[in-house]
Amino acid sequence: MPGQRRDDEASQLEGQPLGSQWSSKDNYYSVLNMPPGRPKSALSNYSNLTPWVRGLFFCHTYFAYVYTFYMFVLAFYKGYALQYPPGRQTWEMVLIMVLPAMQHLRFFFGHWGNELGRPHDLFAFMLFGTMTMLVLMYFLFYQAYIMPLDTSYLTIAVFIVAVEGICGIINSLQTMKLMSLSVCQISMLLISMTSLLGVITFFFLKELLPTEAWVEQYQIMKDAH
């Protein structure tokens, strides 16, 4: 009978320890797949190898609000006082407006990914970390007008994102060791780790190697009256 079969399965589960019951059902690859209202559980034998990243996330959240505000203020000032090449100001304003959304997603997946060790969360965290670093490095090295204030806070911002990303890489290696993943999931983690390490390497090379100032000149044509 179907009802009797369910009762037999329930009685068998009741006889097992709670940890074994949960581990038998623990096939979640992301915190988004977990049922709401239940405590979020980490992988079996998983522990966050960089527990200090929690405090770094907390402090960086406020710092991200501060420097994003400064980026908006300086962008409006530059647009008022300086002459931009065609389309450049609009492109840079769009990047500044996209940056807070990427930061929020990065903080969300970074917190849960490093705490629980779920592979899809760690993949999303490293992916958004790479994208965030690329946007910040554009404003640090390639925006139309770079002021000394831009250089100071953007260098700190990129460095913090790089440190958080390295924490994600360390915990991703632990997840790959503890969890049985498909070839696609392993490839996703390896691609995200490689891209993040490549961007971090480029940042440090750009900071350490001597560079020449590149000055673009624009001639404003005025109609003769």
Side-chain angles (χ1 to χ4, degrees):
M1 298 289 291
Q4 185 177 0
R5 187 179 304 167
R6 277 185 203 157
D7 294 338
D8 294 339
E9 291 176 356
S11 61
Q12 289 176 3
L13 285 176
E14 287 177 359
Q16 297 177 0
L18 184 59
S20 61
Q21 293 179 23
W22 181 254
S23 61
S24 63
K25 300 179 181 180
D26 191 5
N27 55 357
Y28 302 111
Y29 294 105
S30 172
V31 69
L32 300 178
N33 301 129
M34 293 184 176
R38 275 189 176 180
K40 305 296 187 292
S41 64
L43 289 176
S44 179
N45 299 324
Y46 174 87
S47 62
N48 187 358
L49 298 178
T50 56
W52 46 267
V53 78
R54 305 167 194 162
L56 185 60
F57 277 138
F58 178 78
C59 298
H60 190 193
T61 304
Y62 292 97
F63 180 56
Y65 282 120
V66 172
Y67 69 70
T68 303
F69 171 75
Y70 276 110
M71 290 174 72
F72 272 112
V73 172
L74 290 177
F76 282 114
Y77 168 75
K78 294 173 188 176
Y80 175 77
L82 302 171
Q83 181 70 30
Y84 273 81
R88 191 75 173 270
Q89 184 181 8
T90 304
W91 164 249
E92 293 184 358
M93 287 298 297
V94 169
L95 285 180
I96 296 175
M97 289 187 287
V98 169
L99 185 61
M102 288 194 299
Q103 288 279 30
H104 278 289
L105 291 171
R106 193 181 67 86
F107 285 133
F108 175 81
F109 287 111
H111 170 74
W112 289 115
N114 286 288
E115 287 297 314
L116 306 182
R118 304 295 169 174
H120 291 181
D121 298 332
L122 289 168
F123 165 74
F125 168 60
M126 291 184 289
L127 178 65
F128 283 112
T130 303
M131 295 169 60
T132 303
M133 285 193 68
L134 289 174
V135 173
L136 293 174
M137 287 167 61
Y138 168 80
F139 286 100
L140 179 59
F141 300 121
Y142 300 110
Q143 66 172 314
Y145 300 102
I146 303 174
M147 295 185 172
L149 183 60
D150 290 321
T151 304
S152 59
Y153 67 77
L154 285 174
T155 302
I156 299 173
V158 177
F159 179 77
I160 295 176
V161 176
V163 172
E164 293 169 347
I166 292 173
C167 296
I169 292 174
I170 294 172
N171 288 312
S172 297
L173 294 174
Q174 182 186 189
T175 297
M176 293 171 66
K177 181 180 178 181
L178 296 176
M179 196 173 188
S180 178
L181 302 175
S182 65
V183 177
C184 180
Q185 291 169 331
I186 294 175
S187 302
M188 289 167 53
L189 287 175
L190 290 177
I191 290 172
S192 61
M193 286 190 286
T194 305
S195 59
L196 183 58
L197 284 175
V199 174
I200 293 173
T201 304
F202 177 77
F203 166 69
F204 282 105
L205 289 177
K206 193 77 174 175
E207 282 291 321
L208 297 177
L209 294 179
T211 55
E212 296 180 358
W214 177 264
V215 180
E216 297 181 1
Q217 296 181 355
Y218 301 95
Q219 184 178 4
I220 303 175
M221 304 297 296
K222 295 183 178 180
D223 296 333
H225 295 285

